[in-house]
Amino acid sequence: MGGDAPKPPPAPPRYHPWDDVALVATLFAVDPSGVGGVCLRALPGPVRDQWLADTRELLPPDMHRRKIPLHVTDGRLLGGLDLTATLRAGRPVAEHGLLAEAHGGVVELAMAERVRGSPVSYLCAALDTNEVVLERDGIALRSPARLGVIALDEGSNEDEQVADALLDRLAFLVDLSPIGVRDMGELPYSAADISAARDRLPAVTISEAQVGAICETALALGIYSLRAALHAVHAARIAAALDGDPEVTDGQVNLAARLVMAPRATQMPYVPPEQEQEPPPPEPPPPDQDQGESDQNQEERKDPLADQVLEAAKAAIPQDLLDRLRLGQLRRAKVRSTGKSGQVQQANMRGRPAGVRRGDLRPGDRLNLIETLRAAAPWQRVRRAERERGPAETPVKRKGGKAVAVVMPRVEVRKDDFRIQKYKHRSETTAIFVVDASGSSALHRLGEAKGAVELLLADCYVRRDRVALVAFRGKEAELLLPPTRSLVRTKRCLADLPGGGGTPLASGIETGLALADAVKRRGGTPLLVILTDGRANVARNGQGGRPQATEEALTVSRLVRASGVAAMVVDTSNHPHPQAKALAEAMDATYMPLPHADAGRLNAAVKAKAGL
C-alpha cells in the first residue's frame, strides 16, 4: 500500500432523470423545513402532478398544507385584524395568516417566477427565523412558522425565473422539462420508511472531512452562498437516515452534491494545465523546516474525497449547461433586463393590485372597502364613547319641515380611515430598430442584419410589444415603420429595404431618439437597437465630410445618454471598429462586436444583452 500509486476515483454512474427527482421528493418529505424546500420548474401537466401527488403521499396525513396564490395580500400572508371578530367584540382581534397556519407543514407557491416584492421578503424571513412577525393594524404578534416551500416555477424561458433570494433558501432546484410521461417511475421509499428516517435524523452525524469536501465542491463550481453547502450537508444526513446509517457515508455525500450543487453551478472547475516533467536537480537544497511544512500542507490539501464529490456533481450537470458555462454565460440573469416587459408604473384603476394607501378619495380612485373597515374597526369603542359623552338627545335633521331621527351607523367610518387601492402595470415596450442601409454596411452585413431584425421582431410580436423601423442611407434617415404590432407589415418593410449610398449616422440616431421620446410621452418604454459599422460620412445637412459627420454622430449619441433611453449598438463590420465602440460609449449603450455572426447568432446576442 505504501509504494502503490493511489487509484483515481471511479466515475460516478449516470442516473435516470426521474430517479433524481424521486429522491428529491423523498428527501424533502423527511424534513421539509430543514431543507427549506424545492423549486419545481415545469409547466402544468401529468409529470408535475405525479411528482406533487407522490410528495403529498410521503408527507404525514395530518401535516398542514397551504397554497399561496400569486396575488396574495400581506394581510392574508402574515395575518392581521379579524374584522368580523373585532366588530363583534369591540376590541382588536388578531387572525393568523397563511404562513402561521402552515406551521409544521408545507406551503405551495403558485407561479413562483412572477412573485416579487413583499411576499418573497416575508417568505424568506419565515424560512430564516421559523416565525412570523406581525406588526400592523395596531397588533404586535409573533407566531411560529416552521415550514417547507414548494415553489412552482412555470416560466417558459430563461427570462422568467424565481427570485434569487428565495432560490438561495431552497435546497433543491428541479427541472421536470426533460422528463416525459413514459419516464415516470416508482418512489424509492415508502411512507413508513420516511417516518422511520424522520425519527433517526437527529442522531445522524457527518464528519468534518465530508463537510470540507462539500465546501470545496461548492467553491469549485462557483457557488459562493453558504446556504448551498448547509443544504447539501443536511441532505446527506437525511440520505443516511433513510438508509439507516448512524453516520454519513461518502456515497451519501456524493448524492447530496449531485442533487444540491449541480443545478447551482455557475462555472466549470479549474483544471490546471499539464506541465512537462523537468529533470530533477543534481543535488537537492538543504532541508528547510518551513518549506517542508508547506509541501506537507500542500499534499494534505489533495483530498480524494473532495475530488470524488466534485466528479459526482459534475456528472449531474446537464450538457447544455456545460456549453453555456464554457461560453462564460450564467444560467440565470443577475441583472433585470430593461426591454423585456417595460417599466413598472403606478395606476389608479387598472393593472395588478399593489397594496393600499391612506388618503382622500378623489375622482378616479377606487376605495378598498375591506381595508377601510379594518382601519376603522379598532376605533369603534373610542368613537362610541365619544358619542355617549355627547348630547343625550337623539340626533335629528329636518326634512320637509319634519324632524327625522338619524340612525347612527354600526361602524363609524371617518375620513382618516379611507384606504385607496393602488395598482401597478408594466408599460408597453417599443423596440426601435435603427438599421444602417448605407453602402459600406450593405456590402458587409445588411443581409444578416435584416435576418436578425426579423427574428427579433417575431419575439416582440409574441410578447405583444410594439416595434418600429428606421433606416438611414444616402443623405437622410427615414421612418419606414411607425410603432406597430403587425409582423407581416414589418417583414414587408424589411424585404423592401434597399442598400447603398452614404452613411448619415447622426440623422439615423436623431430620428430614432425622436421616436423614443414620443413613445415615452405616451407612457411606453422605448429601446433603441442600432445596427451599424459606425463609419459616418454624411452630416445632418446632407453634405459629405467624415470628420463633421463623426462629430455630429457623437453629439447626438450624448443626447441619447442624457435622455435616459436604453440603447445598444451592434457593430456589424467585419472587424470590431473603434468608431462603433466610441459611439456606444457616448450614448452609454451596450456595445456588441459581432464580426462572425449570422442572423441567428446576432438575434441570440441582442436577446441576451437586452433581455428581449
Side-chain angles (χ1 to χ4, degrees):
M1 178 176 179
D4 297 339
K7 296 182 179 180
R14 299 294 297 179
Y15 289 85
H16 193 275
W18 181 258
D19 296 336
D20 280 351
V21 300
L23 280 173
V24 167
T26 305
L27 298 177
F28 172 75
V30 173
D31 188 11
S33 60
V35 298
V38 182
C39 178
L40 196 66
R41 186 172 179 86
L43 295 176
V47 178
R48 193 184 79 169
D49 294 343
Q50 183 63 41
W51 189 93
L52 292 174
D54 292 343
T55 304
R56 297 189 188 104
E57 181 181 349
L58 295 176
L59 295 172
D62 57 344
M63 177 173 285
H64 299 294
R65 290 191 290 270
R66 296 291 186 271
K67 293 184 178 181
I68 301 178
L70 172 60
H71 299 301
V72 62
T73 61
D74 295 349
R76 186 67 188 101
L77 190 64
L78 300 179
L81 194 70
D82 190 335
L83 182 59
T84 304
T86 299
L87 295 176
R88 184 183 299 113
R91 57 180 178 82
V93 178
E95 65 175 351
H96 293 293
L98 287 173
L99 297 181
E101 292 175 358
H103 173 59
V106 175
V107 296
E108 293 183 8
L109 183 61
M111 301 182 73
E113 77 282 358
R114 297 188 179 184
V115 179
R116 291 293 186 272
S118 58
V120 173
S121 302
Y122 295 141
L123 191 55
C124 292
L127 291 174
D128 290 340
T129 61
N130 294 326
E131 68 175 2
V132 175
V133 180
L134 174 61
E135 295 180 349
R136 64 193 303 264
D137 299 332
I139 298 173
L141 180 66
R142 289 179 177 266
S143 305
R146 185 176 178 86
L147 47 86
V149 178
I150 299 179
L152 302 179
D153 181 4
E154 300 178 5
S156 58
N157 53 60
E158 290 296 327
D159 293 332
E160 298 177 341
Q161 295 285 348
V162 182
D164 292 335
L166 182 57
L167 285 183
D168 194 31
R169 289 162 173 82
L170 307 182
F172 305 109
L173 311 181
V174 178
D175 188 0
L176 298 181
S177 303
I179 301 177
V181 177
R182 297 182 179 180
D183 299 329
M184 295 186 297
E186 300 294 332
L187 292 172
Y189 297 91
S190 64
D193 298 331
I194 301 298
S195 179
R198 195 176 293 114
D199 297 334
R200 289 191 294 262
L201 180 59
V204 176
T205 60
I206 185 171
S207 66
E208 294 184 3
Q210 292 169 336
V211 174
I214 290 176
C215 295
E216 290 185 19
T217 301
L219 292 176
L221 296 178
I223 306 171
Y224 303 111
S225 174
L226 185 59
R227 290 189 180 94
L230 294 175
H231 289 323
V233 169
H234 196 66
R237 293 180 61 243
I238 296 176
L242 284 169
D243 296 338
D245 298 329
E247 298 179 356
V248 176
T249 63
D250 294 347
Q252 292 153 359
V253 174
N254 295 341
L255 172 67
R258 186 174 78 247
L259 298 181
V260 178
M261 298 291 184
R264 288 180 161 84
T266 61
Q267 69 181 25
M268 290 302 298
Y270 173 73
V271 179
E274 298 182 359
Q275 298 180 355
E276 298 182 358
Q277 296 184 355
E278 299 180 356
E283 185 174 348
D288 187 2
Q289 183 69 18
D290 296 338
Q291 182 68 24
E293 292 179 356
S294 176
D295 295 341
Q296 183 179 0
N297 293 337
Q298 187 175 2
E299 292 294 332
E300 291 177 354
R301 292 192 191 98
K302 296 179 179 180
D303 187 2
L305 176 59
D307 296 338
Q308 181 181 353
V309 174
L310 181 59
E311 291 298 325
K314 287 172 57 179
I317 298 178
Q319 185 62 35
D320 59 344
L321 179 59
L322 292 177
D323 295 338
R324 290 197 296 270
L325 294 178
R326 291 191 185 99
L327 294 174
Q329 300 175 351
L330 297 178
R331 184 180 67 88
R332 292 178 45 80
K334 298 301 181 183
V335 180
R336 190 172 184 84
S337 60
T338 302
K340 176 191 170 188
S341 302
Q343 297 176 351
V344 177
Q345 295 184 352
Q346 301 294 330
N348 292 333
M349 300 295 292
R350 68 185 183 94
R352 296 180 179 178
V356 296
R357 64 176 176 85
R358 177 181 177 181
D360 297 335
L361 189 60
R362 300 174 181 175
D365 291 340
R366 181 173 295 177
L367 182 69
N368 190 313
L369 182 59
I370 300 300
E371 293 300 326
T372 299
L373 292 177
R374 288 182 185 276
W379 301 97
Q380 295 306 302
R381 176 177 293 182
V382 176
R383 294 172 184 176
R384 191 179 301 116
E386 290 179 355
R387 292 199 304 269
E388 293 175 355
R389 290 195 301 266
E393 63 273 7
T394 303
V396 296
K397 67 177 181 179
R398 297 289 177 180
K399 184 176 181 180
K402 297 182 180 180
V404 180
V406 178
V407 180
M408 298 304 296
R410 295 180 59 88
V411 180
E412 183 177 346
V413 178
R414 298 182 180 178
K415 186 177 180 180
D416 293 340
D417 302 326
F418 288 167
R419 296 296 184 267
I420 311 302
Q421 181 67 54
K422 296 190 303 183
Y423 298 92
K424 65 180 180 180
H425 69 95
R426 292 195 177 275
S427 61
E428 190 177 56
T429 299
T430 301
I432 303 172
F433 297 95
V434 182
V435 182
D436 185 353
S438 62
S440 59
S441 182
L443 291 175
H444 297 150
R445 308 290 289 283
L446 184 57
E448 288 85 350
K450 286 183 179 181
V453 170
E454 185 172 332
L455 292 175
L456 288 168
L457 292 175
D459 293 333
C460 293
Y461 176 78
V462 171
R463 293 191 311 276
R464 308 304 297 166
D465 289 339
R466 292 183 181 271
V467 294
L469 181 62
V470 175
F472 57 93
R473 59 184 291 269
K475 295 183 178 181
E476 60 183 8
E478 180 182 3
L479 176 61
L480 298 180
L481 183 68
T484 181
R485 290 195 182 100
S486 176
L487 184 60
V488 176
R489 184 182 177 188
T490 305
K491 288 184 177 180
R492 189 182 300 115
C493 288
L494 281 174
D496 297 338
L497 177 62
T503 309
L505 182 56
S507 298
I509 300 175
E510 189 176 33
T511 304
L513 179 59
L515 185 58
D517 290 337
V519 171
K520 289 178 66 176
R521 286 194 299 270
R522 291 195 299 267
T525 302
L527 172 65
L528 277 177
V529 183
I530 303 173
L531 296 94
T532 180
D533 56 7
R535 302 172 184 177
N537 55 19
V538 177
R540 284 184 289 180
N541 57 8
Q543 301 297 324
R546 190 174 298 275
Q548 181 182 355
T550 302
E551 183 61 31
E552 289 184 354
L554 293 176
T555 301
V556 178
S557 299
R558 297 185 188 99
L559 294 178
V560 175
R561 176 200 290 264
S563 66
V565 176
M568 67 194 71
V569 176
V570 181
D571 189 352
T572 57
S573 57
N574 286 334
H575 301 283
H577 202 275
Q579 292 183 1
K581 186 174 183 180
L583 195 74
E585 292 177 353
M587 66 176 63
D588 194 20
T590 302
Y591 172 69
M592 291 176 292
L594 299 173
H596 304 291
D598 55 10
R601 292 180 181 177
L602 183 56
N603 172 46
V606 174
K607 287 175 61 178
K609 293 292 184 181
L612 294 175

